[in-house]
Amino acid sequence: MNKHVLGDRLLLTLIGALGKPFFSQQVETAPFAEHLAGISIDLPDLSLDDVLIAVPMEGLAGPMEAGLKVICRSAPDAPVVIYHQGGGEIPFDQTVRAAFPAGRDQGVTVIAVKTPFQTTQQELRERFVDFNNYVAMIASVVRLTEALIQSPDLSGAACKIVAGYSLGGFVSGRHHIHYNSADAYVPFVSGTAHAEIFFTSVKAAAIARKRPEILRSRLNFTEDWARADNSNVFPVLGKYDQLNKLSVQGPSYGGLAYDLWEGGHLYGAKHPHLIREKIQSVIADLRAGEMRT
């Protein structure tokens, strides 16, 4: 068996053994747009570096707390990367810190976003028995991303990039669909058919799988994607990804070109320089375009 496939299957076995299946208690929830409209947030001061800054907010799941950390800071007019964690990635900034090591001049400012309900594996398991919490979580960081992009603190940035891994990639795509206020988006090992994970790889509880229309209408954004201009999105997929399968997520991009890693779901996390190189190449292309105009 291909080592990448084997590694991903071991990961899926571990996820399945951690606790109750996703959405085992409650499936009903409002449409995503209502969740997004229901988020209230006050953006905190971002002057501290390499310190987790709490971001309390309210939504249709009640009070939540996200977080922000400036991993590395460059000049006020440098490009800014807003990076979203993978689902269950603890610590939340593990991958992005490896991609953009602290203390090294990267020529960019990198802000890592901590997603609510994922401080510990126990919290994740307890919260995600309720689908309402899961959708509210995604809406919260989509809204937080927009608050960051519109923040006066980032007004001088040469360009603003939204990126993320797995769950963070879906968050990036969601922000593109609902706001599209960033200059570019770089979703890693994700797609637009978010709900399909819970039918094909990390299977949701039986009560959720019996209501596929609820999961798909709240999580998938493939139809919206098909109507959008996606020319500022630069996805990366894994050839052997067993979580967000190429056969599912590749077509979900509707013909948009994507890079293909010769690995599984965790390939980029294990080779973080590839994440950095992809983001920096997108920034370089943006800057070259500005120079030509």
Side-chain angles (χ1 to χ4, degrees):
M1 182 181 294
N2 180 288
K3 65 178 182 180
H4 303 295
V5 173
L6 178 60
D8 278 6
R9 290 184 179 177
L10 290 173
L11 170 66
L12 292 172
T13 300
L14 177 61
I15 292 172
L18 285 176
K20 294 180 180 180
F22 281 78
F23 324 136
S24 60
Q25 291 184 7
Q26 178 60 257
V27 181
E28 297 293 338
T29 191
F32 187 86
E34 292 183 20
H35 274 277
L36 194 60
I39 299 295
S40 60
I41 178 175
D42 290 318
L43 194 66
D45 177 70
L46 298 176
S47 60
L48 297 176
D49 292 352
D50 206 23
V51 173
L52 178 60
I53 305 166
V55 186
M57 59 182 75
E58 291 280 340
L60 298 189
M64 297 176 284
E65 185 174 282
L68 297 171
K69 184 185 285 188
V70 182
I71 298 297
C72 53
R73 189 188 300 270
S74 194
D77 61 348
V80 171
V81 177
I82 300 169
Y83 187 93
H84 292 273
Q85 70 175 99
E89 183 178 2
I90 300 171
F92 74 99
D93 57 345
Q94 179 175 345
T95 300
V96 70
R97 288 180 69 89
F100 294 90
R104 183 186 301 176
D105 184 9
Q106 305 287 348
V108 295
T109 293
V110 180
I111 303 172
V113 180
K114 180 181 181 294
T115 305
F117 307 148
Q118 301 209 39
T119 302
T120 66
Q121 292 291 345
Q122 180 178 353
E123 180 186 31
L124 184 154
R125 292 194 297 271
E126 291 175 351
R127 288 289 191 167
F128 294 155
V129 297
D130 189 337
F131 188 46
N132 187 60
N133 289 339
Y134 192 85
V135 181
M137 169 196 73
I138 298 167
S140 73
V141 284
V142 170
R143 183 66 188 89
L144 175 55
T145 300
E146 181 61 12
L148 279 169
I149 287 175
Q150 302 302 334
S151 168
D153 290 341
L154 305 186
S155 61
C159 57
K160 299 167 189 175
I161 313 298
V162 176
Y165 202 94
S166 193
L167 173 65
F170 287 115
V171 169
S172 303
R174 273 285 186 182
H175 185 273
H176 163 66
I177 288 299
H178 288 275
Y179 296 104
N180 198 34
S181 52
D183 295 284
Y185 295 84
V186 190
F188 294 96
V189 291
S190 55
T192 73
H194 190 166
E196 304 315 307
I197 301 170
F198 300 108
F199 303 110
T200 61
S201 52
V202 183
K203 291 186 178 179
I207 64 167
R209 285 184 280 117
K210 289 177 181 178
R211 301 290 306 278
E213 75 285 355
I214 294 290
L215 269 64
R216 287 179 169 133
S217 65
R218 273 54 173 174
L219 292 182
N220 289 353
F221 49 97
T222 308
E223 293 182 3
D224 291 333
W225 187 273
R227 294 189 291 267
D229 177 0
N230 305 309
S231 58
N232 62 336
V233 186
F234 305 93
V236 179
L237 294 175
K239 184 174 181 179
Y240 303 107
D241 193 332
Q242 300 299 293
L243 180 65
N244 292 320
K245 295 183 178 181
L246 178 62
S247 60
V248 175
Q249 301 303 339
S252 82
Y253 280 126
L256 181 70
Y258 51 80
D259 288 359
L260 190 61
W261 281 336
E262 290 288 327
H265 190 69
L266 297 179
Y267 189 75
K270 294 177 179 178
H271 302 84
H273 67 282
L274 297 177
I275 294 174
R276 180 179 66 252
E277 289 169 2
K278 177 60 179 179
I279 292 173
Q280 288 180 332
S281 72
V282 170
I283 291 172
D285 287 346
L286 284 174
R287 287 182 149 178
E290 290 173 357
M291 291 172 61
R292 288 194 296 266
T293 58

